[in-house]
Amino acid sequence: MVVEVAVGTGGEPESSDSMRTFGAMVQALREHAGLSREELAERIGYSKHTVASVELGRRMPDSAFVEGTEEATGNTGAVRRAAAHLARQPGLAAWFRQWARMEQVAVALYTYECRMVPGLLQPESYARAMAVDHVPPLDDRQIEERWAARAARQQLLRDRPNTAFSFIIEEHAFLRRTGGAAVTRELIDHVLELANLRNVEVQIMPLVQENHTGLQGSFQLLETPDNKWYAYIEGQESGQLITDRKVVSVLQGRYARMRSQAHTIRNSASLLQRMRGDL
């Protein structure tokens, strides 16, 4: 089995100045080559939104983006050399950064979560409520950076309308009322709003479910633009990027089974609306 494991480093964020510098350099090279964002995007196989996000320093480019841009802008070596000095976004846990980078170019992202509402669906109030209970305690700067990073990730749902996002969430994640009733009402409203996007599907796993394929824990699945699948599992202060095709296939099978065990998309929305009415 090929599994890459990343262990936490105390949650210290890294500077994003290098991302903004890299983006400005890419923009300058693109313009020097006489290319619009749309033209560069077409040449390297990414959307114009991805090109814009990289140039504005909001997204970490993957290796394919770097190599494609290098070639499209004249093979000077500048893009490759600059990419070697990139630092990740502040606010992301060290063990999560590689997966977050892969999210930015995914064509499909499936998430099963049994502990909390997934980060891509969290409103600010819910995210901050969880940060308050973090051990060891976070200072104000760390809380702000974590929320900023999460909010930036959430733009994927709107910036990538051709990416399929699927979420299966345990009902008790809402019943816990993290942060109190007001926060939970805002959480449910936020999830229902995002579930109305054409590329987002949200299913709720019933609190009482005799047949449940996901009892081994939360996980995520991701499909890359070249149609390769990867999985990610996160635990206490650590994360695992799973590249072994057999293991990923097993998790794909589990996710497919859970889709049939969870409430339908329509019934999930109705359940959330009823839960909100009970608050």
Side-chain angles (χ1 to χ4, degrees):
M1 180 190 306
V2 180
V3 179
E4 299 179 24
V5 181
V7 180
T9 59
E12 279 301 310
E14 295 180 73
S15 171
S16 62
D17 288 348
S18 63
M19 294 175 64
R20 290 189 289 270
T21 301
F22 178 87
M25 186 199 68
V26 167
Q27 180 175 354
L29 289 172
R30 170 181 61 76
E31 292 174 349
H32 182 72
L35 299 172
S36 66
R37 282 178 176 169
E38 291 83 356
E39 289 169 334
L40 177 61
E42 184 176 356
R43 289 196 184 189
I44 65 177
Y46 289 82
S47 71
K48 64 179 181 181
H49 302 293
T50 298
V51 173
S53 293
V54 170
E55 289 186 352
L56 294 172
R58 294 200 302 254
R59 291 190 180 182
M60 175 70 73
D62 63 7
S63 58
F65 185 101
V66 171
E67 291 302 316
T69 303
E70 177 68 58
E71 182 177 349
T73 57
N75 278 316
T76 64
V79 179
R80 291 193 189 97
R81 287 195 294 270
H85 300 285
L86 279 169
R88 272 66 171 178
Q89 279 184 305
L92 293 178
W95 57 88
F96 184 73
R97 289 168 183 153
Q98 184 174 7
W99 184 257
R101 183 175 176 179
M102 296 171 69
E103 283 182 335
Q104 295 170 2
V105 296
V107 298
L109 183 66
Y110 301 162
T111 301
Y112 166 61
E113 184 54 73
C114 62
R115 302 161 300 183
M116 68 194 79
V117 173
L120 289 175
L121 300 179
Q122 295 176 6
E124 183 174 359
S125 59
Y126 181 86
R128 289 183 181 276
M130 291 199 304
V132 168
D133 289 327
H134 190 276
V135 176
L138 303 172
D139 60 33
D140 291 342
R141 175 184 58 83
Q142 290 172 313
I143 292 175
E144 293 301 324
E145 288 177 341
R146 288 187 175 214
W147 167 244
R150 188 155 300 175
R153 283 182 59 228
Q154 291 176 357
Q155 285 298 117
L156 292 171
L157 300 176
R158 302 182 188 277
D159 290 349
R160 298 187 62 81
N162 299 121
T163 295
F165 294 91
S166 171
F167 300 90
I168 300 175
I169 311 167
E170 292 290 338
E171 182 178 349
H172 67 73
F174 297 91
L175 294 174
R176 184 175 293 121
R177 299 191 181 184
T178 299
V183 170
T184 303
R185 280 193 291 269
E186 184 176 348
L187 169 66
I188 293 175
D189 288 342
H190 188 68
V191 171
L192 287 171
E193 178 186 355
L194 293 174
N196 283 327
L197 298 174
R198 288 193 298 271
N199 60 329
V200 177
E201 295 181 350
V202 175
Q203 292 181 258
I204 305 300
M205 183 67 74
L207 188 62
V208 178
Q209 176 58 272
E210 294 183 0
N211 300 308
H212 193 331
T213 310
L215 296 179
Q216 290 86 348
S218 304
F219 64 90
Q220 296 185 68
L221 294 163
L222 180 151
E223 184 182 8
T224 64
D226 55 356
N227 305 118
K228 294 180 181 178
W229 283 87
Y230 298 90
Y232 176 76
I233 299 174
E234 189 170 272
Q236 296 282 344
E237 302 299 307
S238 65
Q240 293 181 335
L241 171 63
I242 301 176
T243 60
D244 186 282
R245 287 182 296 176
K246 292 182 180 179
V247 178
V248 173
S249 179
V250 168
L251 294 176
Q252 286 176 308
R254 290 178 185 171
Y255 196 88
R257 179 70 63 83
M258 280 191 289
R259 273 181 155 173
S260 67
Q261 295 169 338
H263 287 300
T264 65
I265 295 170
R266 177 174 295 181
N267 289 345
S268 294
S270 297
L271 174 61
L272 288 173
Q273 290 166 351
R274 291 197 301 273
M275 291 170 66
R276 191 195 187 288
D278 291 337
L279 291 170

